[in-house]
Short mmCIF file of all heavy atoms in Angstrom, two decimals:
data_model
loop_
_atom_site.label_atom_id
_atom_site.label_comp_id
_atom_site.label_asym_id
_atom_site.label_seq_id
_atom_site.Cartn_x
_atom_site.Cartn_y
_atom_site.Cartn_z
N SER A 54 -76.62 4.47 35.76
CA SER A 54 -77.53 5.04 34.74
C SER A 54 -78.58 5.98 35.33
O SER A 54 -79.76 5.91 35.04
CB SER A 54 -78.24 3.91 33.97
OG SER A 54 -77.30 3.07 33.36
N LEU A 98 -68.72 27.53 34.17
CA LEU A 98 -67.82 27.14 35.25
C LEU A 98 -66.39 27.60 34.97
O LEU A 98 -65.70 28.16 35.85
CB LEU A 98 -67.87 25.61 35.41
CG LEU A 98 -67.08 25.02 36.58
CD1 LEU A 98 -67.58 25.55 37.91
CD2 LEU A 98 -67.20 23.50 36.55
N LYS A 125 -63.93 23.81 20.60
CA LYS A 125 -63.34 25.11 20.29
C LYS A 125 -63.14 25.98 21.53
O LYS A 125 -62.07 26.57 21.73
CB LYS A 125 -64.22 25.84 19.27
CG LYS A 125 -64.13 25.29 17.88
CD LYS A 125 -64.94 26.09 16.88
CE LYS A 125 -66.40 25.71 16.90
NZ LYS A 125 -67.16 26.32 15.78
N ILE A 198 -55.34 39.26 3.13
CA ILE A 198 -55.33 38.40 1.95
C ILE A 198 -54.12 38.70 1.08
O ILE A 198 -53.38 37.80 0.65
CB ILE A 198 -56.63 38.58 1.13
CG1 ILE A 198 -57.84 38.05 1.89
CG2 ILE A 198 -56.51 37.91 -0.24
CD1 ILE A 198 -59.17 38.42 1.29
N LYS A 244 -43.19 36.59 -15.94
CA LYS A 244 -42.53 37.40 -16.97
C LYS A 244 -41.01 37.34 -16.79
O LYS A 244 -40.26 37.18 -17.77
CB LYS A 244 -43.02 38.84 -16.89
CG LYS A 244 -42.42 39.73 -17.98
CD LYS A 244 -42.97 41.15 -17.91
CE LYS A 244 -42.37 42.01 -19.02
NZ LYS A 244 -42.87 43.41 -18.97
N ARG A 292 -50.50 42.44 -36.82
CA ARG A 292 -51.16 43.51 -37.59
C ARG A 292 -52.54 43.07 -38.07
O ARG A 292 -53.52 43.80 -37.91
CB ARG A 292 -50.28 43.89 -38.79
CG ARG A 292 -50.82 45.07 -39.60
CD ARG A 292 -50.03 45.26 -40.88
NE ARG A 292 -50.22 44.13 -41.80
CZ ARG A 292 -51.33 43.96 -42.56
NH1 ARG A 292 -52.32 44.85 -42.50
NH2 ARG A 292 -51.42 42.92 -43.36
N ASP A 337 -45.30 33.71 -48.25
CA ASP A 337 -46.23 34.83 -48.47
C ASP A 337 -47.59 34.46 -47.85
O ASP A 337 -47.67 34.23 -46.65
CB ASP A 337 -46.36 35.13 -49.97
CG ASP A 337 -45.02 35.57 -50.57
OD1 ASP A 337 -44.24 36.22 -49.82
OD2 ASP A 337 -44.75 35.23 -51.73
N LYS A 408 -67.52 10.81 -24.41
CA LYS A 408 -66.65 11.43 -25.42
C LYS A 408 -65.31 10.69 -25.51
O LYS A 408 -64.75 10.54 -26.60
CB LYS A 408 -66.42 12.91 -25.07
CG LYS A 408 -67.66 13.77 -25.29
CD LYS A 408 -67.33 15.24 -25.13
CE LYS A 408 -68.54 16.10 -25.50
NZ LYS A 408 -68.25 17.54 -25.42
N PHE A 543 -85.90 17.70 17.90
CA PHE A 543 -86.68 16.87 16.99
C PHE A 543 -88.13 16.68 17.45
O PHE A 543 -89.00 16.44 16.63
CB PHE A 543 -85.99 15.53 16.77
CG PHE A 543 -84.91 15.59 15.74
CD1 PHE A 543 -83.58 15.60 16.10
CD2 PHE A 543 -85.22 15.70 14.39
CE1 PHE A 543 -82.57 15.67 15.15
CE2 PHE A 543 -84.23 15.77 13.42
CZ PHE A 543 -82.90 15.77 13.81
N ASN A 562 -82.95 9.41 0.50
CA ASN A 562 -81.70 8.86 1.03
C ASN A 562 -82.05 7.85 2.12
O ASN A 562 -82.69 8.19 3.11
CB ASN A 562 -80.82 9.98 1.59
CG ASN A 562 -79.51 9.49 2.16
OD1 ASN A 562 -79.45 9.02 3.29
ND2 ASN A 562 -78.45 9.60 1.38
N ALA A 571 -85.31 6.70 13.81
CA ALA A 571 -84.71 6.73 15.15
C ALA A 571 -85.22 7.92 15.96
O ALA A 571 -85.50 7.79 17.16
CB ALA A 571 -83.18 6.77 15.03
N PHE A 634 -90.64 -12.01 5.98
CA PHE A 634 -91.05 -11.84 7.38
C PHE A 634 -92.03 -12.88 7.89
O PHE A 634 -91.87 -13.41 8.99
CB PHE A 634 -91.65 -10.44 7.57
CG PHE A 634 -91.87 -10.08 9.02
CD1 PHE A 634 -90.80 -9.68 9.81
CD2 PHE A 634 -93.13 -10.15 9.59
CE1 PHE A 634 -91.00 -9.35 11.15
CE2 PHE A 634 -93.34 -9.84 10.92
CZ PHE A 634 -92.27 -9.43 11.71
N TYR A 684 -89.35 -16.67 -5.51
CA TYR A 684 -90.00 -17.25 -4.32
C TYR A 684 -90.77 -18.52 -4.68
O TYR A 684 -90.71 -19.52 -3.97
CB TYR A 684 -90.95 -16.22 -3.72
CG TYR A 684 -91.75 -16.72 -2.53
CD1 TYR A 684 -91.21 -16.70 -1.25
CD2 TYR A 684 -93.04 -17.21 -2.71
CE1 TYR A 684 -91.96 -17.17 -0.16
CE2 TYR A 684 -93.78 -17.68 -1.63
CZ TYR A 684 -93.23 -17.66 -0.36
OH TYR A 684 -93.96 -18.12 0.71
N THR A 709 -104.19 -25.32 -10.97
CA THR A 709 -105.15 -24.78 -11.95
C THR A 709 -104.87 -23.32 -12.24
O THR A 709 -104.97 -22.86 -13.39
CB THR A 709 -106.59 -24.94 -11.43
OG1 THR A 709 -106.85 -26.32 -11.20
CG2 THR A 709 -107.60 -24.41 -12.43
N PHE A 733 -99.68 -37.94 -6.14
CA PHE A 733 -101.08 -38.33 -6.40
C PHE A 733 -101.15 -38.98 -7.78
O PHE A 733 -101.46 -38.29 -8.77
CB PHE A 733 -101.99 -37.10 -6.34
CG PHE A 733 -101.81 -36.26 -5.10
CD1 PHE A 733 -101.20 -35.01 -5.17
CD2 PHE A 733 -102.24 -36.73 -3.86
CE1 PHE A 733 -101.03 -34.23 -4.04
CE2 PHE A 733 -102.06 -35.95 -2.72
CZ PHE A 733 -101.45 -34.70 -2.80
N ILE A 739 -106.30 -30.70 -14.85
CA ILE A 739 -107.08 -29.72 -15.60
C ILE A 739 -106.08 -28.83 -16.32
O ILE A 739 -105.18 -28.27 -15.72
CB ILE A 739 -107.96 -28.89 -14.65
CG1 ILE A 739 -108.98 -29.79 -13.98
CG2 ILE A 739 -108.63 -27.75 -15.39
CD1 ILE A 739 -109.74 -29.13 -12.85
N GLU A 743 -103.87 -28.60 -22.74
CA GLU A 743 -103.25 -27.43 -23.38
C GLU A 743 -101.73 -27.55 -23.38
O GLU A 743 -101.07 -27.28 -24.38
CB GLU A 743 -103.64 -26.14 -22.64
CG GLU A 743 -102.99 -24.93 -23.29
CD GLU A 743 -103.45 -23.63 -22.69
OE1 GLU A 743 -104.14 -23.63 -21.67
OE2 GLU A 743 -103.11 -22.61 -23.29
N GLY A 836 -114.55 -21.64 -32.21
CA GLY A 836 -115.25 -20.78 -33.16
C GLY A 836 -116.76 -20.80 -33.01
O GLY A 836 -117.46 -20.19 -33.83
N THR A 840 -125.35 -21.13 -26.20
CA THR A 840 -126.24 -20.70 -25.12
C THR A 840 -126.46 -21.88 -24.18
O THR A 840 -126.85 -22.96 -24.62
CB THR A 840 -127.58 -20.22 -25.68
OG1 THR A 840 -127.36 -19.15 -26.61
CG2 THR A 840 -128.50 -19.74 -24.57
N GLU A 892 -114.19 -27.26 -6.79
CA GLU A 892 -115.19 -27.46 -5.75
C GLU A 892 -116.51 -26.75 -6.05
O GLU A 892 -117.35 -26.59 -5.15
CB GLU A 892 -114.65 -26.99 -4.39
CG GLU A 892 -113.44 -27.76 -3.92
CD GLU A 892 -112.96 -27.32 -2.55
OE1 GLU A 892 -113.28 -26.18 -2.13
OE2 GLU A 892 -112.28 -28.12 -1.89
#
Side-chain angles (χ1 to χ4, degrees):
S54 302
L98 185 60
K125 287 184 278 189
I198 292 169
K244 183 177 181 181
R292 184 189 66 78
D337 297 327
K408 289 188 174 183
F543 278 104
N562 180 279
F634 190 78
Y684 176 84
T709 301
F733 310 108
I739 296 170
E743 179 174 9
T840 302
E892 298 183 338

